[in-house]
Amino acid sequence: MADAYIYDHVRTPRGKGRSSGALHSVTPIELASTALRAIRDRNDLDTANVEDVVMGCVAPVGEQGADIARVAVINSDYAESTAGAQVNRFCASGLEAVNIAAGQIMSGQSEMAIGGGVESMSRVPMGSDGGAWPTDPAVAFRSYFVPQGISADLVATKYGFSRDDVDSYAVESQKRSQRAWDEGRFKDAVVPVVDINGTTVLDHDEHMRPETDMQSLASLEPSFINHGEQFGFNSVAIQRYPEIEKIEHVHHAGNSSGIVDGASAMLLGTKEMGENLGLTPRARIRSFASIGSEPTIMLTGPSLAAEKALKRAGMEKGDIDLWELNEAFAAVVLRFMQALDIDHDEINVCGGAIAMGHPLGATGAMILGTVLDELERTGKSTALATLCVGAGMGTATIIERL
């Protein structure tokens, strides 16, 4: 098989995912187009060489509906010959899109492609696309369905993470994210979103709260008590995990991923195509993997996906220099570190979604780009990026810096 190389990546800033957020006035198609135009212009691309654009989008309805990737290609003035496809693997959609683009290149079916994603959570709220899993009683009963927040609290309870543990992790995420911005670690990746007049709408991650401390988090009530107790989801989770006597509710808005708007894009190609276009590869895709995991606890898939990707690459845990795991909830990262015995100094070194937010369809490509930038900044060699996924899955990708 051919090797798939990463030539560039960009992302928009992440705007607060509500009507008062800076990006609420920007349509999803414009967010996606902002990322695609930036990739084109930064690399002086003749877009006729880009054979496909694959974009993650978790709620592909309304303004985000149909095939937003192909329409973004048209809206960005790419070549008519550039195809586009929308993909949904819940929170891992952006990374799955990169993996699909890489797979096309590795299999010889494309010479250059773009993977990325978009989500405007202020305009198309999470859950807008519905689905049988949470709404059809027969399906929910069969799978012991619980909302994801209950799953996060189940992870914390089952694996022994206290309220102080998850809050302490959240405080550190805020500190790392602020430090990364202060040190300019995102300056080459983040492209500002502008309006029709060229005026900057947003040029930084809007969701961050660097003043967060343990005292301020202690004042927040757990978010999922009502779901668990009044709607009976605690009982469902305990039915599936009878060894749990009582679910401890420890997650809240301050130690869970922020709801935000944003888009991302990553340019991939063969070595030969890069040479023909005068582009320098920044990294090589070593392997990628997706797995299914138990859907009630739902959020423990990242370690399994990481192990599968490592096996495919012929690598071991010690071969990875940096790890990046989407901070869907603090307990997800704590369990991943516990399961694989990873030191906190090696994972999410620039903070994560607790501080900066999680634009569902775009995040996977964003975190892969972040960890690539960190490999280059630190002179390290290999990284693994992974995400937990709704309905019990995990997706992981390993890259090697060149």
Side-chain angles (χ1 to χ4, degrees):
M1 292 196 304
D3 283 326
Y5 293 92
I6 299 172
Y7 286 98
D8 198 12
H9 72 92
V10 298
R11 71 170 177 91
T12 68
R14 286 170 270 202
K16 293 178 181 178
R18 52 177 183 258
S19 59
S20 60
L23 296 182
H24 177 65
S25 62
V26 183
T27 62
I29 197 69
E30 276 302 314
L31 288 177
S33 298
T34 295
L36 291 182
R37 292 177 191 130
I39 281 284
R40 178 196 62 202
D41 296 346
R42 284 159 55 115
N43 296 282
D44 194 24
L45 279 182
D46 176 353
T47 54
N49 292 300
V50 180
E51 297 179 72
D52 204 0
V53 171
V54 187
M55 302 201 82
C57 183
V58 174
V61 296
E63 293 180 303
Q64 292 180 167
D67 181 354
I68 193 170
R70 171 58 178 169
V71 181
V73 163
I74 297 167
N75 193 55
S76 303
D77 295 322
Y78 271 50
E80 189 177 83
S81 59
T82 303
Q86 174 268 332
V87 63
N88 181 7
R89 197 187 286 280
F90 295 135
C91 295
S93 297
L95 190 60
E96 187 65 33
V98 171
N99 292 345
I100 290 171
Q104 291 181 11
I105 292 161
M106 295 163 76
S107 64
Q109 302 308 302
S110 292
E111 293 185 89
M112 179 160 279
I114 291 172
V118 61
E119 206 80 33
S120 179
M121 300 180 75
S122 70
R123 299 175 70 101
V124 185
M126 183 166 50
S128 295
D129 54 334
W133 185 41
T135 61
D136 184 327
V139 177
F141 179 82
R142 182 187 183 99
S143 61
Y144 293 89
F145 168 79
V146 299
Q148 203 166 85
I150 300 297
S151 299
D153 287 337
L154 176 59
V155 170
T157 302
K158 181 174 174 61
Y159 295 105
F161 305 123
S162 68
R163 172 70 182 259
D164 280 351
D165 291 334
V166 291
D167 281 358
S168 178
Y169 181 88
V171 169
E172 182 63 17
S173 176
Q174 296 283 354
K175 289 179 178 178
R176 292 184 180 194
S177 297
Q178 185 63 51
R179 182 167 62 246
W181 269 102
D182 289 345
E183 294 178 358
R185 299 189 197 180
F186 301 127
K187 63 181 175 61
D188 293 330
V190 174
V191 294
V193 177
V194 300
D195 64 17
I196 194 171
N197 299 311
T199 302
T200 297
V201 176
L202 187 67
D203 62 2
H204 63 280
D205 290 327
E206 188 182 27
H207 184 267
M208 292 165 54
R209 300 178 299 277
E211 72 283 356
T212 298
D213 57 23
M214 292 293 284
Q215 289 70 33
S216 63
L217 292 184
S219 68
L220 299 177
E221 292 293 325
S223 296
F224 306 107
I225 288 179
N226 285 346
H227 291 80
E229 296 181 355
Q230 294 186 20
F231 296 107
F233 287 115
N234 282 359
S235 297
V236 175
I238 291 170
Q239 261 192 313
R240 181 62 183 82
Y241 289 88
E243 69 272 23
I244 303 297
E245 183 177 343
K246 177 187 177 184
I247 293 182
E248 300 294 334
H249 292 284
V250 298
H251 287 94
H252 49 74
N255 56 35
S256 307
S257 56
I259 294 172
V260 295
D261 305 333
S264 57
M266 181 168 281
L267 179 65
L268 302 104
T270 62
K271 182 179 181 181
E272 293 74 20
M273 177 58 79
E275 289 174 348
N276 290 340
L277 299 179
L279 301 176
T280 301
R282 297 173 59 181
R284 177 169 67 97
I285 303 284
R286 288 288 301 266
S287 72
F288 49 84
S290 289
I291 59 92
S293 60
E294 199 285 307
T296 302
I297 204 165
M298 197 182 314
L299 306 172
T300 55
S303 62
L304 303 174
E307 290 170 342
K308 187 174 182 179
L310 287 167
K311 184 177 180 180
R312 281 186 173 166
M315 301 172 72
E316 298 180 352
K317 186 196 76 172
D319 296 322
I320 300 297
D321 297 317
L322 291 175
W323 305 78
E324 195 77 18
L325 170 58
N326 182 41
E327 294 176 348
F329 301 90
V332 172
V333 188
L334 294 175
R335 172 55 190 162
F336 183 80
M337 291 191 290
Q338 181 187 69
L340 295 183
D341 191 22
I342 295 170
D343 190 270
H344 197 180
D345 291 339
E346 299 174 354
I347 187 169
N348 295 358
V349 296
C350 292
I354 288 173
M356 295 180 284
H358 174 25
L360 303 177
T363 304
M366 287 183 172
I367 67 171
L368 188 62
T370 293
V371 81
L372 169 56
D373 289 345
E374 278 301 293
L375 289 179
E376 293 175 336
R377 187 183 71 85
T378 59
K380 294 180 178 178
S381 179
T382 57
L384 187 149
T386 183
L387 301 92
C388 60
V389 185
M393 291 184 283
T395 297
T397 303
I398 298 173
I399 60 172
E400 179 182 10
R401 181 180 66 88
L402 298 176

